[in-house]
Amino acid sequence: MTVELVRGQNHPLPDTRLEIRVSAGHPVVAGATLADEGGRVPGVEWIAHPGSPSLPGVEVSQQAAADHRLAVDLEAVPAAVHRLSLLLALPVGVGGPTRFGAVAAPFVAVTGLDGTEVASYTITGLDRESAVVALELYRRQGAWKVRAMGQGYEGGLAAMLGDQGLERPADLAATILDAVARGLARSVSAPPPRVPETERVRHSAPAAAPETMAAADSAPTLPVTPPPPLPSTPLPSTPAPSAPAPSGGTTGGGTTGGGPISYAHPGRRAAAPEPEPRQAPPVPVAGDASGWSMDERLYNQVWGMFEDLARTTAAYRSACDFAESRLDKELDGVLSDPRSRIGGAGDAAREAARARHDELTARAQEVLDRDLSQLAAESEVVEPALPPAYARWDNPVWHAYRVPMEAPMALRLGDLHLPERTDLRIPMLVRLPLERGLWVDSGRGRSEAAGLLDEAELRRLALETAVAHAARLLAVYPPGEFTVHVVDPAGSGATALAPLVQAGVLAGPPAAGAAGVTAVLAQLTERVDLVQMALRAGAPDALPPGMDTAEQLLIVHDFPHGFDDRAVNQLRYLADEGPAVGVHLLMVADREAASAYGPVLDPLWRSLLRITPVPDDHLADPWVGHAWTYEPPLFPSGSRILPQVLAQVAEARRQWGR
């Protein structure tokens, strides 16, 4: 079974003769380095690159390409080699992209000789980097494993080679890029596309009559760019009938001017062909998107639905705004014309302006309704097919839940919708591992729904929302690969935290009082420091024995109660540095309650993703800036899903000794 790795995750290799496949969608340079037990590359002779593609046990391509296949034989590498790193870099000076953030994320897979995938890794999170260490095959206690690295370098190939411990890395980088440039110069470019035979003869169309052009100029148009087209059937077009040859014109081989000859009888017009019947729109299919696995295809499909809804709504709103501005302009013109103030001319002009306005808005509404209906049909198909990590709590998939053996690529945090159709809800998916912490806002803010609740009820709902998120995270990770800590200084969250405590899935009892806060923060801060030092030293395995290497989540309730200045600084440190090394925050707090700290906490709130325990329209998309209404994940009334799922998680941990 293929394992989809995330950054920092490792997996044992079943064989020593392997193939590494790279799919980047654009030309990249592939190379490999052989390193000793300390992670140091002794010299240039231990590097396989386009200028020197072969080393004992590994062979790479001699030029840049969008797809690579690297042959690896780990038994053939020298005995002193303990690590083999796969390097990818964008070629320089060939007119292509200069940073990975401008292109699709590279995909790397380790396969057996028969093509069976062992592990795969999609290198996400790159921006200005132009070189990256993709994978690392390393020897540990006599066995080989693969680790997803994803370590990017803004300084390009030279910076990456320098980080491998090589002397004069810039010279070696220049040598590699020169070999790539020579390879590209020798390559043969693809032939131009073949021109169809029917397009080789150009026909000149007769010019439109002046009155036809004037009519076209006066027709109302929408000055907006439509969203990407949803799957729909275009309206059939009826070709215009052939015009009869003018009386006295030339027949046979002659022509009467530009354009093809008409052989129709001068006194007979050909009947227009019957229009073809409209076909039904295509039936939506779950997983109808690109991706290497069903989970990735569903993730991409959900994001495609989100983008389609954002853009079709933007087109509708833009069309309505244009119709309103046009109506205002025309009414102002009527009022400014003295001739329209006498008799019925003014009333007629106003009625005509309103009719044009209604026509524009009706056309925009028709297009919106068509697109929303197609999206709703797609949502009805996709929602039941979602895996537990993407599914709502009322999805039947939870009744068949089993603890997974590998982590998913994303997690559902709730639903999003727009006011144009509130029943069309798009899952809000975020990538795993979490790239930033979460903040469940227990304050009123500007939400109308929050304004109807008292403070105690709002705080209770906020903590229950945090518990639901923590339970989902525990449920989608393999046994023992996700640890949850809880800080509840005043002990006021005992009721909401009871499902986690009773199931025994927490790292320990919720920490209470100032002493408990200090102990938990000190433990997690030390963990962040140790992992950072190990990564900087290039020895991520050199961690203290017995250290919990699982992803860590800290739930902080009733902040800032029980926090002194030192604890606040540690919390900020965890929010900034923790996600990169697997330590995440889940804050349950009211920003107004912490206002005594002033601007000191502003960076903390900005570093966290704010979500709410009640519906609130505080999230904006990155394309057109719509205010999306966020709805938190809720358990069905009277449902026993939460204790059942947590019981399975606890039982799996006991069986695996975690």
Side-chain angles (χ1 to χ4, degrees):
M1 182 176 62
T2 304
V3 176
E4 296 183 17
L5 303 176
V6 296
R7 184 176 181 181
Q9 184 180 357
N10 57 45
H11 184 70
L13 294 174
D15 198 357
T16 56
R17 299 186 66 187
L18 307 161
E19 187 176 67
I20 301 178
R21 301 182 180 182
V22 179
S23 178
H26 51 86
V28 294
V29 181
T33 60
L34 304 180
D36 57 19
E37 191 171 5
R40 190 179 66 87
V41 180
V44 296
E45 65 276 5
W46 287 46
I47 301 179
H49 56 81
S52 178
S54 297
L55 285 179
V58 61
E59 184 173 358
V60 303
S61 175
Q62 299 187 42
Q63 63 181 12
D67 299 293
H68 291 271
R69 290 192 174 188
L70 285 67
V72 177
D73 185 357
L74 297 175
E75 290 184 354
V77 300
V81 173
H82 285 258
R83 298 187 187 185
L84 188 154
S85 300
L86 171 64
L87 315 180
L88 301 178
L90 294 172
V92 178
V94 296
T98 59
R99 61 186 185 91
F100 278 109
V103 295
F107 175 84
V108 185
V110 179
T111 71
L113 295 183
D114 59 353
T116 303
E117 284 193 10
V118 177
S120 62
Y121 174 41
T122 302
I123 311 173
T124 59
L126 300 178
D127 187 9
R128 295 190 297 269
E129 297 87 346
S130 59
V132 61
V133 179
L135 292 177
E136 180 183 74
L137 310 183
Y138 64 98
R139 194 200 316 253
R140 186 171 181 84
Q141 297 178 352
W144 285 91
K145 295 184 177 182
V146 57
R147 178 186 289 113
M149 298 295 289
Q151 178 62 54
Y153 296 86
E154 294 184 24
L157 187 58
M160 180 169 60
L161 294 174
D163 198 37
Q164 297 283 321
L166 292 168
E167 298 181 358
R168 304 177 64 184
D171 295 344
L172 178 57
T175 301
I176 296 174
L177 294 176
D178 181 63
V180 171
R182 291 197 306 269
L184 291 176
R186 292 191 301 267
S187 63
V188 180
S189 60
R194 180 183 178 89
V195 179
E197 191 71 28
T198 57
E199 297 182 5
R200 295 186 182 180
V201 180
R202 302 180 59 186
H203 299 285
S204 59
E211 58 271 17
T212 304
M213 297 176 62
D217 291 340
S218 63
T221 58
L222 299 178
V224 295
T225 302
L230 295 175
S232 60
T233 304
L235 292 173
S237 59
T238 303
S242 301
S247 178
T250 305
T251 60
T255 60
T256 60
I261 303 170
S262 174
Y263 294 96
H265 192 279
R268 187 181 302 137
R269 292 183 62 90
E274 291 292 333
E276 296 180 1
R278 295 189 62 177
Q279 299 178 0
V283 178
V285 178
D288 187 15
S290 60
W292 294 87
S293 66
M294 177 56 75
D295 282 4
E296 185 177 1
R297 291 196 293 271
L298 287 170
Y299 173 83
N300 291 334
Q301 187 172 12
V302 168
W303 267 102
M305 294 166 58
F306 180 66
E307 294 179 13
D308 287 343
L309 180 56
R311 289 167 178 161
T312 193
T313 304
Y316 168 73
R317 294 179 181 179
S318 178
C320 291
D321 290 343
F322 169 72
E324 290 291 340
S325 63
R326 177 172 177 164
L327 176 62
D328 293 340
K329 183 178 180 180
E330 291 181 349
L331 292 179
D332 290 342
V334 172
L335 292 175
S336 62
D337 187 356
R339 295 172 296 178
S340 64
R341 301 173 188 170
I342 303 174
D347 294 338
R350 283 188 287 270
E351 289 300 326
R354 292 190 179 93
R356 285 189 289 270
H357 168 271
D358 294 343
E359 180 187 1
L360 288 175
T361 54
R363 289 167 55 190
Q365 185 67 51
E366 181 183 358
V367 173
L368 176 68
D369 291 343
R370 180 200 65 197
D371 291 346
L372 292 183
S373 297
Q374 184 67 21
L375 282 171
E378 187 174 8
S379 178
E380 291 176 358
V381 173
V382 170
E383 191 70 46
L386 295 177
Y390 304 170
R392 285 198 291 256
W393 287 112
D394 59 356
N395 193 311
V397 72
W398 286 106
H399 294 283
Y401 166 77
R402 294 294 181 269
V403 179
M405 290 297 103
E406 57 186 67
M409 67 180 299
L411 184 84
R412 186 173 190 157
L413 290 183
D415 294 336
L416 299 170
H417 70 261
L418 291 172
E420 279 73 11
R421 184 160 179 175
T422 57
D423 63 329
L424 178 56
R425 291 174 169 82
I426 306 297
M428 179 182 174
L429 303 182
V430 296
R431 293 296 297 264
L432 290 180
L434 297 173
E435 297 179 355
R436 57 190 299 198
L438 304 176
W439 165 32
V440 183
D441 191 355
S442 60
R444 295 186 183 278
R446 293 174 293 179
S447 171
E448 296 181 3
L452 300 175
L453 302 174
D454 59 31
E455 294 183 1
E457 179 69 9
L458 200 55
R459 286 196 297 269
R460 181 187 66 80
L461 290 175
L463 185 54
E464 288 180 354
T465 301
V467 169
H469 290 312
R472 185 181 289 264
L473 283 164
L474 286 166
V476 302
Y477 272 90
E481 292 191 12
F482 198 84
T483 303
V484 178
H485 309 262
V486 176
V487 167
D488 186 19
S492 58
T495 302
L497 294 170
L500 298 176
V501 176
Q502 294 171 2
V505 293
L506 297 178
V517 172
T518 301
V520 172
L521 291 179
Q523 174 188 350
L524 293 178
T525 302
E526 181 183 13
R527 184 187 186 281
V528 172
D529 291 339
L530 291 174
V531 175
Q532 283 185 339
M533 287 189 292
L535 291 176
R536 292 193 187 105
D541 294 330
L543 294 172
M547 181 177 176
D548 185 7
T549 57
E551 297 279 320
Q552 308 287 313
L553 177 70
L554 173 60
I555 301 177
V556 178
H557 180 234
D558 208 15
F559 177 82
H561 183 81
F563 282 75
D564 55 16
D565 291 344
R566 176 180 174 82
V568 169
N569 288 332
Q570 288 177 321
L571 198 65
R572 287 183 52 188
Y573 177 73
L574 293 178
D576 294 337
E577 304 294 334
V581 292
V583 178
H584 314 282
L585 280 184
L586 178 50
M587 296 273 294
V588 183
D590 179 5
R591 187 169 183 173
E592 294 298 326
S595 59
Y597 286 93
V600 174
L601 290 180
D602 287 348
L604 174 64
W605 305 122
R606 288 195 297 267
S607 67
L608 303 175
L609 174 61
R610 176 178 175 258
I611 53 180
T612 54
V614 293
D616 187 25
D617 56 349
H618 66 281
L619 295 174
D621 63 76
W623 301 285
V624 290
H626 291 321
W628 292 77
T629 298
Y630 166 81
E631 292 191 6
L634 299 176
F635 293 99
S637 179
S639 172
R640 296 287 301 167
I641 289 296
L642 178 60
Q644 291 174 7
V645 169
L646 292 179
Q648 291 197 42
V649 171
E651 179 61 25
R653 289 188 170 192
R654 284 190 290 269
Q655 292 179 358
W656 287 78
R658 304 294 177 88

